[in-house]
Amino acid sequence: MTKVNPANSSGFVELSEAVPDVILEPRYYFTYNFVGDRIAGYQAPRMFLTRQAAKALRAVSDDVVKQGYRLKVYDAYRPQMAVDNFVAWAENLGDKRMKEYFYPQVDKTRLFADGYIDAKSGHSRGSTLDLMLFDMRTGKEVDMGNVFDHFGVESHPDWCGNPETGKYTGKYKGNKKPKNGQINEVQFKNRMILREAMIRNDFKPLDTEWWHFTLKNEPYPDTYFMFPIQ
């Protein structure tokens, strides 16, 4: 495999141009995120993906538009410096400004051990993104049961249902009842509409976040890019 310069952005395209129907809300450019600050490397409210991932996302967009939705994207390519910013924040145990909104039942000392924060992110390889659905009929975000970047088991795709069959059960694992409890059948089905559209169009899901997907045959599986978003 040809070695790729992690500072080289030539294999990337701007999401707003490649997939014009998407709605962009770059959470890490703004301060409403689990850290509470603008994140390092997000110097402009723009989003980028590899050409291959953007092409596949265009197919997803066309798919959901036929069902009455648009895609709303929260994050796509993430510079390595942003991941380093997350790590530094996680090590600062005193900073809990956004705990109430994003990790109400997770102890900050557990963020690394439980896999919420890591020194490397698939986003930095350029073919991973975080997104949800926007309902064109109501003009509102679709109710997915909890917020993007909620740290907790309630964000798992198998929460209250079986993502392999798409069937809602109302059941969840574990004895400790989470703050928000179970999600309802409509919320689970909404998660499945997004999941199934992504899988149909060559993305693979993550088993801990309903909003997170990676292109199956990503072009740079071993490169963690460093160029800032500017």
Side-chain angles (χ1 to χ4, degrees), residues 69-142:
Y69 304 102
R70 289 173 70 186
L71 299 175
K72 184 170 188 177
V73 182
Y74 291 119
D75 195 37
Y77 161 67
R78 182 181 303 166
Q80 181 59 43
M81 66 189 80
V83 180
D84 298 342
N85 190 160
F86 291 162
V87 169
W89 166 81
E91 290 172 341
N92 179 6
L93 298 180
D95 183 353
K96 299 178 182 176
R97 285 172 290 159
M98 306 302 282
K99 180 175 174 63
E100 176 188 349
Y101 305 102
F102 294 101
Y103 52 107
Q105 285 197 304
V106 174
D107 193 304
K108 200 173 178 185
T109 62
R110 299 287 310 168
L111 294 182
F112 291 106
D114 292 347
Y116 295 114
I117 300 292
D118 204 346
K120 294 285 186 185
S121 168
H123 283 273
S124 301
R125 301 194 301 264
S127 296
T128 292
L129 70 162
D130 298 326
L131 73 172
M132 72 173 305
L133 295 172
F134 182 89
D135 192 328
M136 292 194 288
R137 288 160 292 204
T138 64
K140 296 179 180 177
E141 293 179 352
V142 170

